[in-house]
Amino acid sequence: MNKLRQTMLVALAVLLAAVFLLPLIWMLSTSLKNDFEALAGQMNFIPKKPTLDNYIQGLNGDLMNVPIMRWIMNSLSVGMIGTAIVLLIDSMAAYALARLSDMPFRKTLFSMFIASLMIPGVLTFLPMYMEFNGLGLINTYAALVLPYTAGAFGVFLLYQFFISFPKEIEEAARIDGANKWQIYARILLPASVSIMVTLGIFTFMGIYNDFVWPLYATTSPEMRTITAGIALMSQGSYTQAYGKLMAMTTIATLPVLIIFIAGQRSFVKAITQSAVK
Amino acid sequence: MKTTWKSRLSSSLFALPYTLCFAAFMLFPIGYGIYISLHDFELLSQEHPFVGLSNYIAIFTSGTYENALFFNGLWVTIQFVLFSVPLLILVGLGIALLVNALPRRIRGLFRTFYFMPYAISASVMAVIWLMMFDTNAGFLNSMLQQLGIASIPWLTDTPWVWISLIATTLWWTIGFNMIIFINALNEVPEDYYEAASIDGANAWSKFRHITLPSIRPVMLFVMITSTIASFNIYAQPFLLTRGGPGDTTRVLLMNVLDHAFIRKEVGSASAMAIMMALIIMVISVVQYRLTYGRKEGN
């Protein structure tokens, strides 16, 4: 009886997995079809005439005449630069808030940062656009990076880690004559590699996958991120060029999917940390 | 520790870079948004005269364009929230229970399968589902055809548009709730279940009397985050149904952004954005109070 129940549960899990994975497999399969076959309306997962044309055109930059490689590079650079900045400034701030008790306005600042986690993005979206517009920074890399540096999640996550870090190690270093910067750079940072990786993956995926802000914050084809670019393609004249569109989305998804699967443990940790507030 | 001004200065310097970013891209936009909402802020015009609360008054005066735009969008959004949030919670919990009931060595694998769509960006998600839902060449209608069932207008007719939007939302985001629930389920102490087994409790009563009360705070977290996420819905209707058929799925955020960027009425759109943010925050607080207030009452 127990055996039967177990088998039925596994069967249910497999069925559900098929539902979840089918759209992704279909994306991959369609990307290997020519446009004619992609539009034929058949359910063949293995293309009759498999072709890499869609990918070759993509890598050559003449897939639908859009600079898809440029978009990927934009997304990757913006994601990496943004993540680097977030890791640096968040860890410094979290160190000061958690360990440097003589910092003025420490409690006030901390409460403000935590309170900002409650602010819905819609509140800052339009004024942020007007701010960047006023500074003449719309359609620049600055506009694609800077808004993500204000998020308090990283400060909160690292604060929790630093506050529980043993005081004795820090004290010993201080007695040996280490200053604050040395304690931060040589003791706390090396000790927080794993939590920094967690925050890094979380931040990178957030920036790489964001789509509404880059859609409005960029105006010329060469500044688009891959998510904004794909959104525009899907609404444009190539709506039904499914083979090409799917090659594009497969290329776009590959970097995050690799990071996601490789760093899943870390990513899960970041999510569950956010729930135990 | 020394508390000389030098030490205080160097301590502050650590927090300075983030604090500046926070001030520039969080505090300033909040204040600037309020300022904009009190002005007639036409995007392309140089003059932005102060108009007091009239942008807000227009939203609440029946018969105005702004009133229709805001409340029609709000109603569509509320419908989406009401349809999606219960499913996001129940299906998320259901999948978490399923994963936890699997043999230990295949749990991680299936967790990854169900979580994978969460790693995909909104636009990729939309393009995939545009293709799945395509009336003529789409995967779903091809499948129905093979079964001898007539094509379904997934993205162009009610009630199918709602079913499509909710199904894609579940597919795309349910992994997040599942992860939260799996984590919560694993933290329920094993001895509670053992004690209940000794008392002869069946699976349902264990779930009802041990699991549910134990994961209650996490339920609240999931309910609040799901409600906020559903309130902010934009990508799915923007890319999949384009608000159609007619304005059936034109959600509030679409109306606010179109008002700002297509009609260029940033002042009025900012007032709407602020009202929308207030509604989201009030709902979060009410959900929090209702859940915790009841607990204290017991």
Side-chain angles (χ1 to χ4, degrees), chain B residues 142-157:
Chain B
S142 303
M143 196 169 74
L144 292 179
Q145 219 158 38
Q146 304 246 312
L147 299 169
I149 301 170
S151 288
I152 287 175
W154 295 105
L155 299 174
T156 47
D157 205 359

Side-chain angles (χ1 to χ4, degrees), chain A residues 205 208-212 227-228 230-231 234 249, chain B residues 117-130 168 171-172 234-236 238-240:
Chain A
M205 287 189 55
Y208 187 96
N209 278 345
D210 193 15
F211 117 93
V212 191
T227 52
I230 286 175
S234 78
T249 53
Chain B
Y118 190 75
I120 290 168
S121 75
S123 45
V124 170
M125 177 276 295
V127 175
I128 294 176
W129 284 98
L130 275 172
T168 49
W171 178 79
W172 186 36
Y234 179 77
Q236 296 91 316
F238 175 68
L239 295 170
L240 288 173

Side-chain angles (χ1 to χ4, degrees), chain A residues 97 103-115, chain B residues 22:
Chain A
L97 293 168
M103 191 193 121
F105 308 112
R106 194 166 66 117
K107 291 218 170 87
T108 317
L109 283 176
F110 186 66
S111 318
M112 263 167 54
F113 297 158
I114 294 302
Chain B
F22 182 82

Side-chain angles (χ1 to χ4, degrees), chain A residues 36-80:
Chain A
F36 179 72
E37 196 184 341
L39 263 179
Q42 282 163 344
M43 294 169 56
N44 49 330
F45 279 94
I46 296 164
K48 287 186 193 109
K49 279 191 199 158
T51 167
L52 286 173
D53 274 1
N54 298 326
Y55 289 96
I56 294 165
Q57 285 179 28
L59 296 168
N60 287 342
D62 45 37
L63 182 68
M64 306 188 225
N65 296 317
V66 293
I68 172 170
M69 289 319 284
R70 170 81 193 234
W71 291 350
I72 294 266
M73 290 317 287
N74 282 347
S75 284
L76 288 174
S77 350
V78 164
M80 284 190 282

Side-chain angles (χ1 to χ4, degrees), chain A residues 6 13 20 24 26 41 43 90 92 102 104 127 130-131 150-152 180 209 216 227 235 240 242 246 260 264 272, chain B residues 7-8 10-12 14 18 24 29 41 101 112 114-115 119-121 123 127 131 134 142-143 171 234 239 242:
Chain A
Q6 193 71 264
F20 273 81
L24 297 176
W26 191 243
M43 294 169 56
D90 285 13
M92 284 170 62
D102 65 346
M130 295 309 293
E131 183 183 3
K180 288 170 192 162
N209 278 345
Y216 286 99
T227 52
Q235 307 294 296
Q240 291 204 315
Y242 285 129
M246 289 305 121
F260 175 77
Q264 204 198 147
T272 48
Chain B
S7 171
R8 262 178 273 152
S10 68
S11 295
S12 310
F14 275 94
Y18 174 74
F41 216 99
T112 307
Y114 306 143
F115 198 23
I120 290 168
S121 75
S123 45
V127 175
M131 178 183 65
D134 190 301
S142 303
M143 196 169 74
W171 178 79
Y234 179 77
L239 295 170
R242 303 187 194 185

Side-chain angles (χ1 to χ4, degrees), chain B residues 83 152-166 241 245 248-249:
Chain B
F83 295 146
I152 287 175
W154 295 105
L155 299 174
T156 47
D157 205 359
T158 46
W160 304 108
V161 280
W162 285 108
I163 293 171
S164 306
L165 289 181
I166 304 235
T241 64
T248 322
T249 55

